Amino acid sequence: MSDLQKFTFLIALVIPKLFKKNHSLAFVATYFKQLLPTLSLKTSVIAISIITTGLVLSIRQLGFLEFLELVTFDQMVRLQGDAGADSRLLIVKITEADLKQQKQWPISDLSLSQALQKLQKAQPKAIGVDLYRNLPKPPGREALLKELQKPNVITITKLDDINAEGVAPMAGISAEQIGFNDFIVDTDGVVRRNLIYAYQGKEQYYSFSLQLSLKYLAEHNLAFKVTPDALHLGDTIFPALYSHTGGYQNLDDAGYQVLISYRSPQKVAQQITFTDVLEGKFDPNWVKNKVVLIGTTAPSLKDLFFTPYSAGNLSNPGMPGVMLHAQLVSQILSTTLENKPLFWFWPEWAEALWFWLWAVVGGILAWRLKHPLPLGIAGLVSLGALFTICLSVFAQAGWIPLLPATLALILTMVSVISYKLWYSALHDSLTKLPNQLLFLKYLQQAINQTKIHPQNRFAILFLDIDRFKLVNESIGHHVGDKLLINFAQRLKTFMGRNGIVARVGGDEFAILLPNITDSSEATNFADQLQQQMSIPFKYHSQDIFTTISTGIAFNQTQLHHLPGDLLRDAHTAMYRAKDLGKARHEIFATGMHTQILQLFHLETDMHHALNNQEFCLNYQPIVSIETDKIIGFEALVRWQHPQHGLISPIEFIPVAEDTGLIIPLGKWILQEACHQLSVWQAQYPSEPPLMMSINLSGKQLTQPDLVEYIEEILETTGLDAHSLKLEVTETVAMKDVESAISILLKLRSLNIKLSIDDFGTGYSSLSYLHRFPVNTLKVDRSFVSRMGDTDEDASIVNTIIMLSHSLGMDVIAEGIETKAQQTKLESLGCEYGQGYLFSKPLDSESATALLNRYIYK
């Protein structure tokens, strides 16, 4: 499945869920857990943004964000400018001073009727009495009723609801002059909504503010019409709130509600006191053609309500009810006459798209910016831009969600950062392929499938690029990196949908081939892969040719496999392929692992052997072929294992070479052999003195402190450098000729003698032999042992001896086992020999006893 197909499926899976309430996204999360590791990082950013958007929408629909969104709304209201007093309104406020003046509460019917008479003389368009008058307060009941029955007067009532009993209007007043208390208190105690109209059956209920507004607008002859979705006042439409308006979730949207557009926190209208009205201390122009609202502002009467301004005015948080009604009347009049917009909202799909947009912004920032400082700055700039956009739109009466978009942005940023860390932990940073950890997870899934379906088979292919080190060292590591990237891309292209490919090491890759029916499928695949990878890679105008060594391991349903074991088996088979010549594949066999395990235990035991002094030296005499006199010894290391007895050097020396243990072991051999030689030279003085021949490995030869260390040993033991002969094999010498010559020259500068061991068996060194500063050539035992059998071997030995003499070197023949071989070598002019004819390798005590017998011959 391509990234595009996965992404398309992702959208088809998630988007329908985003607009359903009370759903569980657990199954979606389960799918993503399996899907995300297979997506590219770029595609995963889009996937994460969709997941985050779905999560934010779910949290929002469950109502967890409502309180915070309403708090954000309040803050937006407080940030708006103060529109000042509405000149169409006048508030007659009943203050604490008025209550003292009246000496009672409620105010008597007579005092209220007198105030209404005074106001009517100034010809207001409408008077709203924001005082419940259901109970008489004599004297003056008849006078008050007469004033309240005047056509421009509106009285207030309170409708019954589930939380409180209603308050009936004063008897004798027509329904056209009654309005219900119309502001709604949200669950957090703040008034943000205005219920302006409601109906039940054929019964219609007008709000207090709507009735006052209709009285004021009567001369404009505006038709009032109710439709299912809105109220129409002339050409002005008042859309009803629905249950998910703005930040509300599951709002009780009964009746026709609108959000209150607050005009001012304090100065919604000009204000005079009740006593001023009674005493006629007001300008009639303040009343003429105005909407007059009469209500209490005295704190002791507790007719106070929290508004969006309350949080910013903690000393005096409440707004009197009469001022709230003035806000509502002002909003209706401004909307109808001045086309001031009501609050508008986006549909749910647009809000979801808005959230996703900011989720994508957060995802892109987290994806593109790696350093925390630029990422933090970019995040703050994005949040500032989001807030500015929302505040600007709010100033135009648009409530677009700020908090959920902020949450989507931040959550996506955090999620993408976390995903990048998780992705980095499971993917190779260079090739973007799965790494070993993720590959083992896939392998475990394949193993689990075989437990359910035992007939399923799969194969693991372990690939290593042959001679990749040569590319790095010859062309450069940057070219090696590009080669790995192109190699990985070619692998992915070749694999298609047939399996999983991962980079598990420097130039090592692993492939999981699922659902194979026969082992030949894997071997055929390996052959095709070899052909594909043999096509040269292009670097500028240069062709880079590669081959691969491949190890193959199969699952066996009857065995309990661990992922690491299967990968290890394929890795073991790959090394077997390399040992057999590279550019080929090998199938894992159980014996391979047994051999590797033995080598592992051998390496572990060697570490202990060095610490426990389990190694010892044997000494094989080097004898003058002419006189049979011992002229020195060759030091040969032996290992006396506490459990396995004597272990042959053929077994442990290659392991020491591979693991680097040959360095400390070689130093110990040099120290021990030189010390023993110094003892023998003191016991058996001779002229020339006894010499000691010691083998140097290839790794020892490349040690930068080799010369200094040997010089230190010679000084410590008091040996003359002429008594020490160091042997290097022909193969080691020819591996890096110039480097070998340089090191050998440094050793010769100490007057140490040098020898080439096993001459004629390795790389041909004839063209370089005259440049090597060596004293001796050693004829390999394979030639010596066959001298009597074939004339060719005798001729080879003769040639080596003649060549050595012509270059001023002496010759030591190895593996002399018969007197005839000694006689033949003597006739050819060979100076020295060693072998079982003279003595097998001996421990130091036996070698000392041998010296006692030979030294005086």
Short mmCIF file of all heavy atoms in Angstrom, two decimals, residues 617-661:
data_model
loop_
_atom_site.label_atom_id
_atom_site.label_comp_id
_atom_site.label_asym_id
_atom_site.label_seq_id
_atom_site.Cartn_x
_atom_site.Cartn_y
_atom_site.Cartn_z
N LEU A 617 54.54 -20.42 26.83
CA LEU A 617 55.37 -20.47 25.62
C LEU A 617 56.10 -21.81 25.53
O LEU A 617 56.60 -22.33 26.54
CB LEU A 617 56.40 -19.34 25.61
CG LEU A 617 55.86 -17.92 25.41
CD1 LEU A 617 57.02 -16.93 25.37
CD2 LEU A 617 55.02 -17.82 24.14
N ASN A 618 56.09 -22.35 24.32
CA ASN A 618 56.96 -23.47 23.99
C ASN A 618 58.05 -22.97 23.07
O ASN A 618 57.86 -21.97 22.36
CB ASN A 618 56.18 -24.60 23.32
CG ASN A 618 55.42 -25.44 24.33
OD1 ASN A 618 55.45 -25.18 25.53
ND2 ASN A 618 54.74 -26.47 23.86
N TYR A 619 59.18 -23.66 23.11
CA TYR A 619 60.33 -23.20 22.34
C TYR A 619 60.81 -24.34 21.44
O TYR A 619 61.11 -25.44 21.93
CB TYR A 619 61.45 -22.74 23.26
CG TYR A 619 61.00 -21.64 24.22
CD1 TYR A 619 60.52 -21.97 25.50
CD2 TYR A 619 61.06 -20.31 23.85
CE1 TYR A 619 60.12 -20.98 26.38
CE2 TYR A 619 60.66 -19.32 24.73
CZ TYR A 619 60.18 -19.65 25.99
OH TYR A 619 59.77 -18.67 26.84
N GLN A 620 60.85 -24.08 20.13
CA GLN A 620 61.39 -25.10 19.21
C GLN A 620 62.78 -24.67 18.77
O GLN A 620 62.97 -23.56 18.28
CB GLN A 620 60.48 -25.28 18.00
CG GLN A 620 60.92 -26.44 17.12
CD GLN A 620 59.90 -26.78 16.03
OE1 GLN A 620 59.23 -25.88 15.53
NE2 GLN A 620 59.79 -28.06 15.71
N PRO A 621 63.75 -25.57 18.94
CA PRO A 621 65.14 -25.19 18.61
C PRO A 621 65.31 -24.91 17.12
O PRO A 621 64.69 -25.54 16.27
CB PRO A 621 65.95 -26.42 19.02
CG PRO A 621 65.05 -27.19 19.92
CD PRO A 621 63.66 -26.92 19.50
N ILE A 622 66.18 -23.96 16.84
CA ILE A 622 66.66 -23.70 15.47
C ILE A 622 68.12 -24.16 15.45
O ILE A 622 68.94 -23.71 16.27
CB ILE A 622 66.53 -22.21 15.11
CG1 ILE A 622 65.07 -21.77 15.20
CG2 ILE A 622 67.09 -21.94 13.73
CD1 ILE A 622 64.86 -20.27 15.03
N VAL A 623 68.42 -25.07 14.52
CA VAL A 623 69.69 -25.81 14.56
C VAL A 623 70.52 -25.52 13.32
O VAL A 623 69.96 -25.36 12.21
CB VAL A 623 69.41 -27.32 14.67
CG1 VAL A 623 70.70 -28.13 14.64
CG2 VAL A 623 68.62 -27.62 15.94
N SER A 624 71.80 -25.49 13.51
CA SER A 624 72.70 -25.41 12.36
C SER A 624 72.68 -26.75 11.65
O SER A 624 72.99 -27.79 12.26
CB SER A 624 74.12 -25.06 12.81
OG SER A 624 75.03 -25.22 11.74
N ILE A 625 72.28 -26.74 10.38
CA ILE A 625 72.18 -28.00 9.62
C ILE A 625 73.53 -28.67 9.49
O ILE A 625 73.65 -29.91 9.49
CB ILE A 625 71.52 -27.75 8.26
CG1 ILE A 625 70.03 -27.39 8.46
CG2 ILE A 625 71.68 -28.95 7.33
CD1 ILE A 625 69.29 -27.13 7.16
N GLU A 626 74.60 -27.88 9.41
CA GLU A 626 75.94 -28.43 9.21
C GLU A 626 76.48 -29.05 10.50
O GLU A 626 77.08 -30.14 10.49
CB GLU A 626 76.88 -27.34 8.72
CG GLU A 626 78.30 -27.85 8.46
CD GLU A 626 79.22 -26.74 7.98
OE1 GLU A 626 78.74 -25.57 7.84
OE2 GLU A 626 80.41 -27.01 7.75
N THR A 627 76.25 -28.41 11.67
CA THR A 627 76.88 -28.85 12.91
C THR A 627 75.90 -29.46 13.92
O THR A 627 76.32 -29.98 14.95
CB THR A 627 77.58 -27.67 13.60
OG1 THR A 627 76.58 -26.71 14.00
CG2 THR A 627 78.60 -27.03 12.66
N ASP A 628 74.60 -29.38 13.65
CA ASP A 628 73.55 -29.81 14.58
C ASP A 628 73.57 -29.03 15.89
O ASP A 628 72.98 -29.44 16.89
CB ASP A 628 73.69 -31.31 14.92
CG ASP A 628 73.18 -32.19 13.79
OD1 ASP A 628 72.55 -31.61 12.86
OD2 ASP A 628 73.37 -33.41 13.84
N LYS A 629 74.23 -27.89 15.90
CA LYS A 629 74.30 -27.08 17.11
C LYS A 629 73.09 -26.13 17.18
O LYS A 629 72.68 -25.55 16.18
CB LYS A 629 75.60 -26.27 17.10
CG LYS A 629 75.83 -25.46 18.37
CD LYS A 629 77.15 -24.72 18.29
CE LYS A 629 77.38 -23.89 19.54
NZ LYS A 629 78.67 -23.15 19.48
N ILE A 630 72.52 -26.01 18.40
CA ILE A 630 71.38 -25.11 18.59
C ILE A 630 71.88 -23.67 18.56
O ILE A 630 72.76 -23.29 19.33
CB ILE A 630 70.66 -25.38 19.93
CG1 ILE A 630 70.06 -26.79 19.94
CG2 ILE A 630 69.57 -24.34 20.20
CD1 ILE A 630 69.45 -27.18 21.26
N ILE A 631 71.35 -22.89 17.65
CA ILE A 631 71.77 -21.48 17.56
C ILE A 631 70.68 -20.55 18.14
O ILE A 631 70.89 -19.36 18.30
CB ILE A 631 72.09 -21.09 16.11
CG1 ILE A 631 70.87 -21.32 15.20
CG2 ILE A 631 73.30 -21.90 15.63
CD1 ILE A 631 70.15 -20.11 14.79
N GLY A 632 69.48 -21.10 18.43
CA GLY A 632 68.41 -20.29 19.01
C GLY A 632 67.11 -21.06 19.05
O GLY A 632 67.07 -22.29 18.82
N PHE A 633 66.04 -20.34 19.34
CA PHE A 633 64.72 -20.95 19.44
C PHE A 633 63.67 -20.07 18.75
O PHE A 633 63.84 -18.85 18.63
CB PHE A 633 64.31 -21.13 20.90
CG PHE A 633 65.13 -22.13 21.65
CD1 PHE A 633 66.30 -21.76 22.29
CD2 PHE A 633 64.70 -23.45 21.74
CE1 PHE A 633 67.03 -22.68 23.00
CE2 PHE A 633 65.44 -24.37 22.46
CZ PHE A 633 66.60 -23.99 23.09
N GLU A 634 62.59 -20.73 18.35
CA GLU A 634 61.38 -19.98 17.93
C GLU A 634 60.35 -20.11 19.06
O GLU A 634 60.05 -21.23 19.50
CB GLU A 634 60.79 -20.52 16.64
CG GLU A 634 59.54 -19.74 16.21
CD GLU A 634 58.92 -20.24 14.90
OE1 GLU A 634 59.41 -21.25 14.33
OE2 GLU A 634 57.93 -19.63 14.46
N ALA A 635 59.82 -18.95 19.52
CA ALA A 635 58.82 -18.95 20.60
C ALA A 635 57.44 -19.21 20.02
O ALA A 635 57.01 -18.52 19.09
CB ALA A 635 58.84 -17.61 21.34
N LEU A 636 56.78 -20.23 20.56
CA LEU A 636 55.45 -20.62 20.08
C LEU A 636 54.47 -20.61 21.25
O LEU A 636 54.72 -21.24 22.27
CB LEU A 636 55.50 -22.02 19.45
CG LEU A 636 56.48 -22.17 18.27
CD1 LEU A 636 56.63 -23.65 17.90
CD2 LEU A 636 56.01 -21.37 17.07
N VAL A 637 53.37 -19.90 21.10
CA VAL A 637 52.42 -19.75 22.20
C VAL A 637 51.52 -20.97 22.27
O VAL A 637 51.12 -21.54 21.25
CB VAL A 637 51.59 -18.44 22.05
CG1 VAL A 637 50.67 -18.51 20.83
CG2 VAL A 637 50.79 -18.16 23.33
N ARG A 638 51.18 -21.37 23.49
CA ARG A 638 50.26 -22.48 23.73
C ARG A 638 49.25 -22.03 24.79
O ARG A 638 49.51 -21.14 25.62
CB ARG A 638 51.01 -23.73 24.23
CG ARG A 638 52.00 -24.30 23.22
CD ARG A 638 51.29 -24.89 22.01
NE ARG A 638 52.20 -25.53 21.08
CZ ARG A 638 52.69 -24.92 19.99
NH1 ARG A 638 52.38 -23.66 19.75
NH2 ARG A 638 53.49 -25.58 19.18
N TRP A 639 48.08 -22.67 24.76
CA TRP A 639 47.02 -22.32 25.71
C TRP A 639 46.56 -23.58 26.43
O TRP A 639 46.01 -24.50 25.83
CB TRP A 639 45.84 -21.68 24.96
CG TRP A 639 44.68 -21.28 25.84
CD1 TRP A 639 44.63 -21.26 27.19
CD2 TRP A 639 43.40 -20.84 25.39
NE1 TRP A 639 43.42 -20.83 27.63
CE2 TRP A 639 42.63 -20.56 26.54
CE3 TRP A 639 42.83 -20.64 24.14
CZ2 TRP A 639 41.32 -20.12 26.46
CZ3 TRP A 639 41.53 -20.20 24.06
CH2 TRP A 639 40.79 -19.92 25.22
N GLN A 640 46.79 -23.60 27.73
CA GLN A 640 46.36 -24.71 28.57
C GLN A 640 45.04 -24.31 29.22
O GLN A 640 45.00 -23.65 30.24
CB GLN A 640 47.42 -25.03 29.63
CG GLN A 640 47.13 -26.27 30.44
CD GLN A 640 47.18 -27.55 29.60
OE1 GLN A 640 48.04 -27.69 28.72
NE2 GLN A 640 46.26 -28.46 29.85
N HIS A 641 43.93 -24.73 28.59
CA HIS A 641 42.59 -24.36 29.08
C HIS A 641 42.26 -25.21 30.32
O HIS A 641 42.48 -26.42 30.33
CB HIS A 641 41.54 -24.60 27.99
CG HIS A 641 40.22 -23.96 28.25
ND1 HIS A 641 39.31 -24.46 29.14
CD2 HIS A 641 39.64 -22.84 27.72
CE1 HIS A 641 38.24 -23.69 29.16
NE2 HIS A 641 38.41 -22.70 28.30
N PRO A 642 41.70 -24.58 31.37
CA PRO A 642 41.45 -25.36 32.60
C PRO A 642 40.42 -26.46 32.44
O PRO A 642 40.45 -27.44 33.17
CB PRO A 642 40.96 -24.29 33.59
CG PRO A 642 40.53 -23.13 32.75
CD PRO A 642 41.39 -23.16 31.53
N GLN A 643 39.47 -26.31 31.48
CA GLN A 643 38.46 -27.35 31.27
C GLN A 643 38.74 -28.19 30.02
O GLN A 643 38.50 -29.40 30.01
CB GLN A 643 37.06 -26.73 31.12
CG GLN A 643 36.40 -26.30 32.42
CD GLN A 643 36.86 -24.93 32.86
OE1 GLN A 643 37.06 -24.05 32.03
NE2 GLN A 643 37.04 -24.77 34.16
N HIS A 644 39.23 -27.54 28.96
CA HIS A 644 39.36 -28.23 27.68
C HIS A 644 40.77 -28.68 27.38
O HIS A 644 41.03 -29.22 26.29
CB HIS A 644 38.86 -27.33 26.55
CG HIS A 644 37.46 -26.82 26.76
ND1 HIS A 644 36.37 -27.67 26.88
CD2 HIS A 644 36.97 -25.56 26.89
CE1 HIS A 644 35.27 -26.96 27.07
NE2 HIS A 644 35.60 -25.67 27.09
N GLY A 645 41.70 -28.45 28.30
CA GLY A 645 43.06 -28.91 28.07
C GLY A 645 43.79 -28.03 27.09
O GLY A 645 43.51 -26.84 26.93
N LEU A 646 44.75 -28.63 26.38
CA LEU A 646 45.59 -27.88 25.44
C LEU A 646 44.79 -27.54 24.18
O LEU A 646 44.24 -28.42 23.52
CB LEU A 646 46.83 -28.70 25.08
CG LEU A 646 47.94 -27.95 24.33
CD1 LEU A 646 48.54 -26.86 25.21
CD2 LEU A 646 49.01 -28.93 23.88
N ILE A 647 44.73 -26.23 23.86
CA ILE A 647 44.02 -25.77 22.66
C ILE A 647 45.06 -25.35 21.63
O ILE A 647 45.98 -24.59 21.92
CB ILE A 647 43.08 -24.59 22.99
CG1 ILE A 647 42.02 -25.06 23.98
CG2 ILE A 647 42.44 -24.02 21.74
CD1 ILE A 647 41.06 -23.97 24.40
N SER A 648 44.88 -25.83 20.42
CA SER A 648 45.85 -25.58 19.36
C SER A 648 45.86 -24.11 18.95
O SER A 648 44.81 -23.47 18.88
CB SER A 648 45.51 -26.44 18.14
OG SER A 648 46.29 -26.04 17.03
N PRO A 649 47.02 -23.56 18.63
CA PRO A 649 47.10 -22.18 18.12
C PRO A 649 46.29 -21.99 16.84
O PRO A 649 45.84 -20.88 16.55
CB PRO A 649 48.60 -21.97 17.87
CG PRO A 649 49.27 -22.98 18.73
CD PRO A 649 48.35 -24.16 18.80
N ILE A 650 46.12 -23.07 16.08
CA ILE A 650 45.33 -22.97 14.85
C ILE A 650 43.90 -22.54 15.17
O ILE A 650 43.24 -21.86 14.37
CB ILE A 650 45.33 -24.33 14.11
CG1 ILE A 650 46.75 -24.70 13.67
CG2 ILE A 650 44.39 -24.29 12.90
CD1 ILE A 650 46.87 -26.07 13.04
N GLU A 651 43.41 -22.89 16.37
CA GLU A 651 42.06 -22.52 16.77
C GLU A 651 41.98 -21.12 17.35
O GLU A 651 41.07 -20.35 17.02
CB GLU A 651 41.54 -23.53 17.81
CG GLU A 651 41.33 -24.93 17.28
CD GLU A 651 40.73 -25.85 18.34
OE1 GLU A 651 39.82 -25.39 19.07
OE2 GLU A 651 41.19 -26.99 18.46
N PHE A 652 42.91 -20.77 18.23
CA PHE A 652 42.72 -19.50 18.94
C PHE A 652 43.45 -18.30 18.34
O PHE A 652 43.05 -17.17 18.56
CB PHE A 652 43.08 -19.64 20.43
CG PHE A 652 44.53 -19.83 20.74
CD1 PHE A 652 45.41 -18.75 20.80
CD2 PHE A 652 45.03 -21.10 21.04
CE1 PHE A 652 46.74 -18.93 21.11
CE2 PHE A 652 46.36 -21.28 21.36
CZ PHE A 652 47.22 -20.20 21.40
N ILE A 653 44.49 -18.52 17.55
CA ILE A 653 45.19 -17.37 16.96
C ILE A 653 44.29 -16.60 15.98
O ILE A 653 44.26 -15.36 16.03
CB ILE A 653 46.50 -17.82 16.27
CG1 ILE A 653 47.54 -18.26 17.32
CG2 ILE A 653 47.07 -16.70 15.42
CD1 ILE A 653 47.98 -17.15 18.26
N PRO A 654 43.54 -17.26 15.07
CA PRO A 654 42.63 -16.48 14.20
C PRO A 654 41.60 -15.66 14.99
O PRO A 654 41.27 -14.54 14.62
CB PRO A 654 41.96 -17.56 13.35
CG PRO A 654 42.92 -18.70 13.35
CD PRO A 654 43.55 -18.69 14.70
N VAL A 655 41.10 -16.25 16.10
CA VAL A 655 40.15 -15.51 16.94
C VAL A 655 40.83 -14.31 17.57
O VAL A 655 40.26 -13.21 17.63
CB VAL A 655 39.55 -16.44 18.02
CG1 VAL A 655 38.63 -15.64 18.95
CG2 VAL A 655 38.80 -17.59 17.38
N ALA A 656 42.05 -14.49 18.03
CA ALA A 656 42.80 -13.38 18.62
C ALA A 656 43.03 -12.28 17.59
O ALA A 656 42.97 -11.08 17.90
CB ALA A 656 44.12 -13.88 19.19
N GLU A 657 43.30 -12.68 16.35
CA GLU A 657 43.49 -11.70 15.27
C GLU A 657 42.21 -10.91 15.02
O GLU A 657 42.22 -9.69 14.91
CB GLU A 657 43.92 -12.43 13.98
CG GLU A 657 45.32 -12.96 13.99
CD GLU A 657 46.33 -11.92 13.51
OE1 GLU A 657 45.94 -10.76 13.33
OE2 GLU A 657 47.50 -12.29 13.32
N ASP A 658 41.08 -11.63 14.94
CA ASP A 658 39.80 -10.97 14.62
C ASP A 658 39.34 -10.03 15.72
O ASP A 658 38.73 -8.99 15.45
CB ASP A 658 38.71 -12.02 14.35
CG ASP A 658 38.96 -12.77 13.05
OD1 ASP A 658 39.71 -12.25 12.21
OD2 ASP A 658 38.38 -13.87 12.89
N THR A 659 39.60 -10.42 16.97
CA THR A 659 39.06 -9.65 18.09
C THR A 659 40.03 -8.59 18.61
O THR A 659 39.64 -7.78 19.46
CB THR A 659 38.72 -10.59 19.25
OG1 THR A 659 39.90 -11.27 19.67
CG2 THR A 659 37.66 -11.60 18.83
N GLY A 660 41.28 -8.58 18.14
CA GLY A 660 42.25 -7.62 18.64
C GLY A 660 42.99 -8.10 19.88
O GLY A 660 43.88 -7.41 20.39
N LEU A 661 42.63 -9.30 20.38
CA LEU A 661 43.33 -9.84 21.55
C LEU A 661 44.78 -10.18 21.23
O LEU A 661 45.59 -10.40 22.14
CB LEU A 661 42.60 -11.08 22.06
CG LEU A 661 41.28 -10.83 22.79
CD1 LEU A 661 40.57 -12.15 23.08
CD2 LEU A 661 41.53 -10.09 24.10
#
